Amino acid sequence: MQSPRYALVPAPGDTARHVLALCKDVAGLFAEPARPARVRYELRGCEPRGELARAVTQAVVEGTAPLGTLVVDLHGTGWALAETRVLGMRGDVVTVEAAGAPHRVHHPPDPVPCGNLIRVTPAAPEEETHTDVTFVGCSPRGELRDALDAGAADFREVRYQGLTRIGNGHHEGEAGRITGWDASARHHGLVDLTLSFPRTRLLPPATGEIWDLFWRDRPAEPGTWRRFTGAARGEWLDRAAAHGPYGTLELLPGATYHLDGTDIVDEDSFRCALGEAVLGPGRCFRTAAGATGTAAIGAELSGATVVWHHADVARACLGALPYRGRRPATFRELVDELTDAGVRLVLD
């Protein structure tokens, strides 16, 4: 198949090792994802310590206590619970509530030892937690092709990959069971595959727009990143970085670059705007392994002059918003990291 946009692949633990289908398009994937349902768990045979011990003490007094991400060690395997709230403790059983199911983590730092993790909240029926997503114009392969040829009405759980125009994978996620198939009305000789897809794994519509913009090449129109806000700008940066440095403008020693700060309201918009100002539309700085943040970008720009127009916008916004988890950088921190790296910064 020429230039497929998606691939269906075996789920983790599946004995199959090959691509199950290549597909030209998808319908229903890009919609606002559902928030994970709150689920109650019991940590049995638990030894509270650190932040969990503090939260247990608070919950005993106040009835509940926020904790954030909780990582437990179950017989040598780490499992993480997101957005956790401690509800109480009785004997060696700690009761918590978390967002969705636990996910496995490798080599977690200082996990809490527990004998077992038991889900107390009953599982919701699939019709409440899943929706139909159709991969359009698919060419089945291997076991999936054999199953369809044999008249199977469904197929086991799979995952999906988003592909670039040249066939490289740029995204992979849980897809669910294949629940139906039919001859494709849009693509002769191919089939449309319908999957029971987790609502929490749907992707925001802006993600689909960004994937389309980067499908053939980078967006050539300056300022295209401004269409997107919030988390979508992080997706924009991921796609810009994934295209690599090919065709990037050469950084000239002592050059002067003009940074339009009109829409710089957070770190992602700062990186979008600076990447475009220095490297060209649809581009961003890719830091070397082990290097992070603005200091690494400053090292690449050392000796250059950056004129930051409308810097007052960033001065008012950066670092000022409420946050959860890692604190966003302030305007002064970004300025200091650039200048400490040898960038001459002119705030206009």
Side-chain angles (χ1 to χ4, degrees):
M1 177 186 293
Q2 185 176 3
S3 300
R5 291 200 174 204
Y6 299 92
L8 298 180
V9 298
D14 197 319
T15 57
R17 292 291 180 268
H18 50 266
V19 171
L20 296 171
L22 294 175
C23 307
K24 288 186 172 294
D25 208 347
V26 69
L29 174 62
F30 300 104
E32 289 303 327
R35 286 188 57 81
R38 302 293 295 175
V39 181
R40 185 169 295 192
Y41 297 93
E42 288 183 352
L43 309 178
R44 298 181 180 178
C46 190
E47 303 174 16
R49 61 191 188 191
E51 282 298 301
L52 178 59
R54 177 203 59 76
V56 165
T57 300
Q58 181 181 346
V60 169
V61 175
E62 301 179 8
T64 181
L67 182 60
T69 299
L70 170 64
V71 180
V72 297
D73 183 345
L74 301 179
H75 310 293
T77 301
W79 294 91
L81 293 167
E83 300 179 30
T84 308
R85 180 170 288 274
V86 177
L87 303 181
M89 181 173 184
R90 186 173 182 177
D92 65 350
V93 177
V94 178
T95 302
V96 302
E97 186 183 77
H103 64 273
R104 187 170 178 176
V105 291
H106 298 281
H107 310 298
D110 197 28
V112 178
C114 289
N116 210 342
L117 176 64
I118 303 297
R119 178 175 177 142
V120 177
T121 305
E126 186 171 302
E127 55 265 25
E128 294 182 9
T129 61
H130 289 63
T131 187
D132 285 346
V133 169
T134 301
F135 286 84
V136 178
C138 300
S139 173
R141 298 180 172 193
E143 294 178 48
L144 177 57
R145 180 182 58 200
D146 294 342
L148 299 185
D149 288 345
D154 55 18
F155 192 78
R156 59 183 181 267
E157 289 195 2
V158 299
R159 292 176 68 82
Y160 76 98
Q161 293 178 342
L163 304 178
T164 66
R165 184 176 60 87
I166 60 174
N168 295 329
H170 64 76
H171 175 87
E172 181 170 324
E174 177 186 349
R177 292 183 302 110
I178 299 176
T179 57
W181 66 280
D182 202 351
S184 178
R186 293 168 49 189
H187 303 283
H188 180 69
L190 302 178
V191 298
D192 296 342
L193 300 170
T194 300
L195 284 74
S196 179
F197 200 97
R199 294 180 186 273
T200 56
R201 303 290 294 184
L202 295 173
L203 300 177
T207 298
E209 295 180 44
I210 292 169
W211 288 6
D212 286 343
L213 285 168
F214 280 91
W215 166 244
R216 294 193 177 279
D217 203 348
R218 301 174 187 273
E221 181 183 351
T224 308
W225 62 269
R226 289 186 171 89
R227 300 184 197 172
F228 307 99
T229 59
R233 286 181 176 169
E235 182 65 35
W236 173 279
L237 289 168
D238 288 344
R239 298 278 57 76
H243 271 258
Y246 176 77
T248 299
L249 298 176
E250 183 179 358
L251 297 179
L252 301 176
T256 296
Y257 301 100
H258 292 268
L259 174 61
D260 182 358
T262 305
D263 294 298
I264 297 179
V265 296
D266 54 23
E267 287 183 76
D268 283 345
S269 52
F270 168 75
R271 291 183 59 203
C272 288
L274 185 61
E276 179 172 289
V278 177
L279 304 174
R283 300 182 184 276
C284 70
F285 284 92
R286 302 181 70 191
T287 55
T292 59
T294 311
I297 296 174
E300 293 192 52
L301 287 173
S302 182
T305 297
V306 174
V307 182
W308 190 336
H309 301 283
H310 306 291
D312 57 308
V313 175
R315 184 182 284 110
C317 294
L318 288 175
L321 298 176
Y323 65 92
R324 297 172 63 183
R326 186 184 70 86
R327 178 180 65 77
T330 65
F331 174 76
R332 177 47 53 188
E333 287 169 342
L334 292 183
V335 167
D336 289 346
E337 286 185 328
L338 287 175
T339 55
D340 290 348
V343 178
R344 180 173 178 267
L345 201 58
V346 179
L347 303 180
D348 181 11

